[in-house]
Amino acid sequence: MADGFVSADTKKIAEFESQSAEAIEEFSAIKDEFKRINSTLLSVWKGVGADAYKYETDNILEKIGSVETVLNAINESAVKDIRATYSQFDDEMAEFNRNPQSGEGE
């Protein structure tokens, strides 16, 4: 702040949102491939062992849930609120930077 200007950098927030979309796509592709492999395996594997394997893999898929749900919840709540706050702060800092004396004494 040596030059007298105050700024707010929101690049990291935008990067998180962008990386969230990439992570959702990547995780979805991994789950789809996992399901494809299991389906192929179970199409030729029959019996008690196959049933136990299917039970376990279904359980795994249920427990890992959806990264999309989690990341969308974060982006729609916390990140959205942070962006709004930073945007408001950025507007206030722009006004301050245009007229620094107006903020003195408040």
Side-chain angles (χ1 to χ4, degrees):
M1 199 161 87
D3 60 5
F5 288 97
V6 178
S7 65
D9 184 2
T10 60
K11 286 184 233 167
K12 291 293 182 190
I13 296 169
E15 286 174 13
F16 179 83
E17 289 175 312
S18 173
Q19 290 170 350
S20 292
E22 293 168 13
I24 288 167
E25 286 181 31
E26 187 174 334
F27 187 76
S28 180
I30 291 168
K31 277 182 75 172
D32 288 346
E33 181 65 5
F34 183 74
K35 289 176 185 177
R36 186 196 66 75
I37 291 168
N38 286 335
S39 177
T40 301
L41 176 62
L42 291 170
S43 72
V44 294
W45 184 15
K46 303 296 179 203
V48 177
D51 294 342
Y53 175 81
K54 183 176 182 339
Y55 174 81
E56 288 302 320
T57 56
D58 288 350
N59 192 31
I60 289 168
L61 286 170
E62 182 182 332
K63 286 188 184 223
I64 60 174
S66 171
V67 167
E68 181 175 8
T69 302
V70 173
L71 289 175
N72 283 342
I74 291 169
N75 282 321
E76 288 301 315
S77 60
V79 173
K80 192 175 191 177
D81 291 345
I82 291 167
R83 279 197 102 161
T85 300
Y86 266 84
S87 182
Q88 180 182 351
F89 178 70
D90 188 45
D91 292 343
E92 291 170 5
M93 290 302 97
E95 179 57 35
F96 174 81
N97 289 333
R98 283 191 285 274
N99 187 5
Q101 281 70 33
S102 68
E104 290 180 3
E106 290 182 8

